[in-house]
Amino acid sequence: MLTPRQGQILVCLARQQIEQHLGMAPSRPVADEELDQPELRQVRGVFVTLHQRKALRGCIGSLSGVESIVAGVRRQALNAAFHDSRFQPVTAAELDALEVEISVLTVPRPLAYENADQLLRQLRPEVDGVILEGPGGAGATFLPQVWQQLPAPEQFLGHLCHKAGMAEGAWRSRRLSVSTYQVQSFVESRCGGQAT
C-alpha cells in the first residue's frame, strides 16, 4: 500500500510531466529523492486520468506491471494528456482547470462464473475494476471509479461491452473472459498537486 504522501508525489509528478511537455516550469517540482522509495519502484499497472470540470479529459494506462510505478506515471501522464485519441491534446490554457488522478492497480485475477446471474453476483461495485475480453481479442476495461457513473452491474457490463466493440448484451448471451482488479487512487484535492 502506498501512503497518501506517496500518492501526492505521484500526482505532482504526473502534473510536472504535462507542464514540462508544454514548455512550462513545474508548479510543484518533484525531487529525485522523493521518487527514490522502494514502494514507488514496484512494478505495477498504472492509469492516469485527467478531468476538467468533472468531465473526462483523458485516461490511459497499463493493466499489468511492465515498469515501475514512477516510470508508469511519467509515461501515462503524457499519454493521457496528449495521446488519448478521444480528445484533442491538452493545452497550457487548460492546466489550471485540470484535475489529475493516479490509479495504481493490483494484479488482475480471472473471475470464474457459470452464467450471467453468477457474474453479476460476484462483481463488487466501487471495489472491482473489470477487464472483459471477447472472441477475436476484443476487450476493454473500466476502473473501479466508473461505478460512480454506472452503479448498476448490468449497466456497467453493458457499457463495458460497448466499449469493447460488442453488443451491450454480449455479457449475458456468451461466455466472455472476465478479470477483476482493485486500485489505490490518488486525486488532486485542488490544482497544484495535493492528493487525497
Side-chain angles (χ1 to χ4, degrees):
M1 291 284 286
L2 302 182
T3 66
R5 172 67 181 150
Q6 289 166 332
Q8 177 183 345
I9 290 168
L10 295 175
V11 168
C12 292
L13 176 63
R15 181 173 284 278
Q16 175 178 291
Q17 288 294 111
I18 296 167
E19 289 169 335
Q20 289 178 329
H21 185 84
L22 290 167
M24 303 169 66
S27 54
R28 193 299 202 179
V30 178
D32 288 342
E33 53 268 22
E34 291 180 285
L35 301 174
D36 189 23
Q37 301 181 48
E39 296 86 357
L40 301 182
R41 289 195 297 268
Q42 295 176 76
V43 175
R44 302 274 292 277
V46 171
F47 272 74
V48 175
T49 305
L50 306 176
H51 287 98
Q52 191 176 60
R53 296 177 191 87
K54 304 297 181 187
L56 184 66
R57 184 62 180 85
C59 181
I60 293 186
S62 174
L63 290 166
S64 57
V66 294
E67 58 196 342
S68 71
I69 293 171
V70 166
V73 167
R74 282 188 166 126
R75 187 163 61 88
Q76 304 303 354
L78 295 178
N79 285 335
F82 305 109
H83 304 296
D84 188 329
S85 60
R86 299 169 291 182
F87 303 97
Q88 291 295 314
V90 166
T91 65
E94 295 178 272
L95 280 180
D96 283 347
L98 212 60
E99 180 186 73
V100 179
E101 179 177 8
I102 305 297
S103 298
V104 180
L105 282 62
T106 63
V107 176
R109 304 275 184 216
L111 185 68
Y113 67 98
E114 292 300 320
N115 54 50
D117 290 338
Q118 187 182 30
L119 174 59
L120 289 176
R121 285 194 305 272
Q122 291 192 75
L123 292 179
R124 298 177 298 169
E126 297 192 34
V127 174
D128 291 330
V130 178
I131 306 166
L132 186 147
E133 293 178 85
T141 191
F142 277 154
L143 294 169
Q145 296 91 313
V146 176
W147 288 103
Q148 294 169 19
Q149 286 82 47
L150 302 169
E154 297 92 337
Q155 187 185 26
F156 185 94
L157 289 172
H159 279 76
L160 187 53
C161 285
H162 179 74
K163 183 180 179 184
M166 295 182 275
E168 287 197 11
W171 65 273
R172 287 185 185 277
S173 56
R174 62 174 107 147
R175 289 295 301 270
L176 303 173
S177 172
V178 177
S179 298
T180 60
Y181 57 90
Q182 294 75 51
V183 304
Q184 195 177 4
S185 68
F186 303 95
V187 184
E188 287 180 314
S189 58
R190 59 179 170 78
C191 290
Q194 197 69 20
T196 57

